[in-house]
Amino acid sequence: MSRQTGTIIDKIFYSEALKEEVPLLIYLPQTFSPLYKYSLLIAQDGKDYFQMGKIGRVADRLLEKGKIENIIIVGIPYRSSEDRWEKYYPDGEKFEAYKRFLARELLPYLEEEYPTYQIGMGRALIGDSLGATVSLMTALDYPHTFGKAALHSPLVNETVIEAVEQFSYPHLMRIYHIIGNKETAVQTTRKDVLDFLSSNRELNLVMESQGFPSFYEEIDGGDHTWRSWQADMERTLLWLFGK
């Protein structure tokens, strides 16, 4: 019996907010049909999620077993580490524009092109490290648009904590949040060394106090690499879209 494998389509989308062409990797399940509706997952660090996270293969396996809803996965690759910092870091030059691009440009385009549910709980954002940070912050800015976010070891600073503390609609949101218990001295793109574990623990406590429906776990032996995040990919998709 041959295994089902979805298709990954390359597209280019021009963003007015960013004033640039944005490459897209769009995963469609093997059984894709315009007659059905699909949940939507938008991945920051999109190329990494497909290549190192193997998210397409994991989705193939779970769909074949009937364990998750029908989904379309859209990966957004970054151009360079500098480009990634500008768009994903809360004080980055393109951070605000990138969030607008996701909610006001990319999402309407995808929902015109593909048969999606077009409700908050049918749309999720996912990212690792800085990609997780911008995913969370976008969901907080557009709570009626994105109802779910999956965070793999987000970078957390005071801007992030304040945004969560001031958020008024936690009941609209579902957050999946993991961090490795070895992430105590992580070197960032800017060569800073940060204690991700402590800041993520603080983020979790704030989310709990605010009443966010969420899942949080510290992965034993987990470090700030794709080895940890890839191993968690099946559970991530089951939590986001499990039947």
Side-chain angles (χ1 to χ4, degrees):
M1 181 177 176
S2 61
R3 179 175 294 281
Q4 295 182 6
T5 54
T7 304
I8 298 177
I9 302 168
D10 290 285
K11 290 197 175 185
I12 299 292
F13 178 85
Y14 182 79
S15 166
E16 286 289 345
L18 295 167
K19 302 298 184 201
E20 66 182 54
E21 290 186 335
V22 180
L24 303 174
L25 303 169
I26 301 177
Y27 165 92
L28 302 177
Q30 191 267 339
T31 56
F32 176 79
S33 166
L35 300 177
Y36 299 107
K37 287 193 179 295
Y38 294 80
S39 294
L40 187 62
L41 177 61
I42 298 176
Q44 289 27 270
D45 298 317
K47 191 173 182 180
D48 293 347
Y49 267 90
F50 281 112
Q51 290 189 348
M52 291 184 280
K54 299 181 174 60
I55 195 169
R57 293 186 200 173
V58 176
D60 285 339
R61 188 167 66 245
L62 294 175
L63 285 165
E64 188 173 30
K65 293 178 180 178
K67 290 188 173 183
I68 58 172
E69 304 165 6
N70 284 330
I71 59 169
I72 293 170
I73 304 170
V74 180
I76 309 168
Y78 55 88
R79 297 173 183 272
S80 64
S81 59
E82 183 64 29
D83 177 68
R84 184 175 184 266
W85 187 273
E86 289 180 353
K87 291 172 180 171
Y88 293 0
Y89 186 68
D91 295 324
E93 288 181 17
K94 297 180 180 178
F95 183 70
E96 296 298 327
Y98 187 79
K99 291 186 292 178
R100 287 198 305 276
F101 152 71
L102 288 174
R104 297 180 180 172
E105 295 182 341
L106 180 61
L107 181 63
Y109 164 74
L110 293 171
E111 296 197 329
E112 190 176 309
E113 289 285 306
Y114 300 103
T116 62
Y117 285 111
Q118 303 194 6
I119 56 172
M121 281 298 164
R123 307 176 185 126
L125 298 168
I126 190 172
D128 66 278
S129 196
L130 279 174
T133 306
V134 74
S135 293
L136 172 61
M137 297 290 274
T138 303
L140 295 176
D141 275 6
Y142 300 94
H144 295 279
T145 303
F146 300 106
K148 300 175 185 175
L151 317 176
H152 291 139
S153 306
L155 181 147
V156 178
N157 61 12
E158 283 306 310
T159 304
V160 176
I161 294 295
E162 287 175 12
V164 174
E165 287 176 336
Q166 295 170 10
F167 186 65
S168 302
Y169 310 101
H171 61 284
L172 295 178
M173 195 80 49
R174 294 185 71 221
I175 304 293
Y176 180 91
H177 178 196
I178 64 159
I179 184 74
N181 65 2
K182 287 187 174 180
E183 297 191 50
T184 54
V186 177
Q187 188 174 74
T188 71
T189 308
R190 297 298 171 95
K191 306 303 180 185
D192 299 319
V193 177
L194 302 177
D195 181 354
F196 271 59
L197 180 57
S198 294
S199 62
N200 273 260
R201 284 174 173 170
E202 182 183 2
L203 175 61
N204 176 56
L205 290 174
V206 173
M207 284 190 174
E208 286 185 347
S209 69
Q210 293 292 92
F212 278 79
S214 62
F215 171 87
Y216 174 76
E217 184 170 289
E218 296 175 7
I219 296 177
D220 188 35
D223 53 8
H224 201 75
T225 66
W226 274 103
R227 181 178 65 86
S228 298
W229 303 325
Q230 197 286 318
D232 194 66
M233 204 60 62
E234 180 170 309
R235 185 175 65 178
T236 304
L237 291 181
L238 284 168
W239 193 90
L240 288 173
F241 301 112
K243 287 184 175 179

